[in-house]
Amino acid sequence: MDSHGQYEQRVGWAVVGTAIGPLLLAATRDGLVNVVFHATDEVRDTALGRLASRLGTEPVEEPGHPVLAEAIRQLEAYFAGERQAFDLPLDWSLISGFNREVLRELAGGVPFGTVVGYGDLAGRVGQPGAAQAVGTTMGANPLPVVVPCHRVVESGGGIGGFGGGLETKRRLLALEGVLPEPLF
């Protein structure tokens, strides 16, 4: 508690190596709050600065944080082909409104090995004309991989965009058996 009797926000972070490169994971006492692709030192430092600004506290490296340790275990199992769903507490505080509604539907309604179109996902949250807004939401997803925005594709069969890069999206979809593994 701080001097005013309020619980201070604490943010722990760790970097985990994966088949798609290093991921920065951050967690609060409420759950996993952020996953960041391509967590080189520069990307990590920028992401941690943004988190400090948004959450009002300086993140501390804490790979033993219970949520982070479990997230690392589950991500390792996912990339080893041993896990198809994540069972982690999630802290949704970095996203709200329509974006949160879409991401919650995505997390619970689009299982491993399946994909959904941007427009279909918009329809699932009662906004059938909001395909473009769903695309924007995917780009704002603070919890990629765990909240599987890689499973959202264009209705015409195109792969769509991806904040982690199209090659990362292809690799995640190949891991889930949706696309063939790239030849090289």
Side-chain angles (χ1 to χ4, degrees), residues 19-171:
I20 57 169
L23 296 175
L24 168 70
L25 309 176
T28 66
R29 70 177 168 271
D30 295 328
L32 190 66
V33 72
N34 203 200
V35 176
V36 179
F37 291 112
H38 316 298
T40 61
D41 290 347
E42 183 180 343
V43 168
R44 181 200 66 213
D45 292 346
T46 299
L48 292 173
R50 242 184 318 216
L51 272 175
S53 173
R54 298 270 318 268
L55 298 175
T57 189
E58 199 65 39
V60 279
E61 188 171 13
E62 191 179 7
H65 182 293
V67 172
L68 294 175
E70 183 59 20
I72 290 167
R73 189 185 71 70
Q74 289 187 28
L75 281 162
E76 288 172 344
Y78 170 80
F79 284 106
E82 299 164 359
R83 174 175 276 281
Q84 295 186 351
F86 295 97
D87 183 20
L88 296 166
L90 301 178
D91 178 339
W92 295 96
S93 63
L94 295 178
I95 200 136
S96 62
F98 175 80
N99 292 344
R100 184 184 293 188
E101 186 178 356
V102 169
L103 291 175
R104 283 181 181 261
E105 173 59 32
L106 175 62
V110 184
F112 183 94
T114 66
V115 294
V116 65
Y118 293 97
D120 293 336
L121 189 54
R124 288 185 186 192
V125 297
Q127 301 289 329
Q132 256 186 318
V134 166
T136 301
T137 298
M138 295 306 105
N141 181 4
L143 296 162
V145 182
V146 175
V147 176
C149 51
H150 59 278
R151 297 180 190 154
V152 183
V153 297
E154 295 174 351
S155 60
I159 196 169
F162 194 62
L166 291 181
E167 182 57 31
T168 300
K169 185 171 187 172
R170 283 186 190 94
R171 292 185 72 186

